[in-house]
Amino acid sequence: MKWLLIAIAAVIILWFVRHLRNEAVPAAQTSNKNLVIMKQIKEDHGLDTNVSWKRANGVLEQVTVDFKASQVRQKNYAELENIAMQIVDVVYEQKPQMLYIRIAKK
């Protein structure tokens, strides 16, 4: 009985470790893509941003792009959305289900 419990625990642990390894790779790749988006917006438009994302089951559910208010006072929402969406589409190679544009005071 003791060995059966040990074997079951080992199978559960191995399954869990395998699952974590499979999930960690897309998350790391997505984080690198966020850095690419931030860099590209800076190079193309001179704007500092912060980018975050949410992915579930391989689907890019949402991307949030934060702009600094002091840098975008003269731009309207449509311009900011266009800047973000063009680069997000290229870098992620898919459109997010939701794109959030936020303007941060600081």
Side-chain angles (χ1 to χ4, degrees):
M1 182 67 163
K2 177 181 172 183
W3 293 108
L4 180 60
L5 291 175
I6 291 172
I8 291 171
V11 168
I12 291 171
I13 290 170
L14 289 174
W15 175 82
F16 185 71
V17 168
R18 181 174 174 229
H19 177 72
L20 284 178
R21 187 189 67 195
N22 289 342
E23 291 297 317
V25 172
Q29 290 170 346
T30 304
S31 293
N32 290 338
K33 289 180 180 186
N34 288 352
L35 296 174
V36 170
I37 291 169
M38 292 165 46
K39 181 181 177 188
Q40 196 64 45
I41 290 173
K42 180 69 172 178
E43 287 177 3
D44 293 353
H45 304 280
L47 302 172
D48 296 315
T49 57
N50 188 31
V51 178
S52 58
W53 53 271
K54 180 180 177 189
R55 182 184 296 270
N57 298 323
V59 175
L60 185 60
E61 290 185 349
Q62 79 180 47
V63 174
T64 303
V65 181
D66 296 323
F67 292 92
K68 291 185 178 182
S70 61
Q71 295 179 341
V72 297
R73 292 200 194 284
Q74 303 303 318
K75 297 188 183 303
N76 64 39
Y77 178 83
E79 289 176 286
L80 298 177
E81 181 182 23
N82 189 38
I83 288 168
M85 187 54 87
Q86 287 177 353
I87 296 172
V88 166
D89 281 350
V90 171
V91 172
Y92 281 112
E93 299 173 349
Q94 64 178 295
K95 288 187 179 193
Q97 292 177 340
M98 292 179 277
L99 174 67
Y100 292 107
I101 302 297
R102 296 191 307 193
I103 300 174
K105 284 186 176 182
K106 295 183 180 185

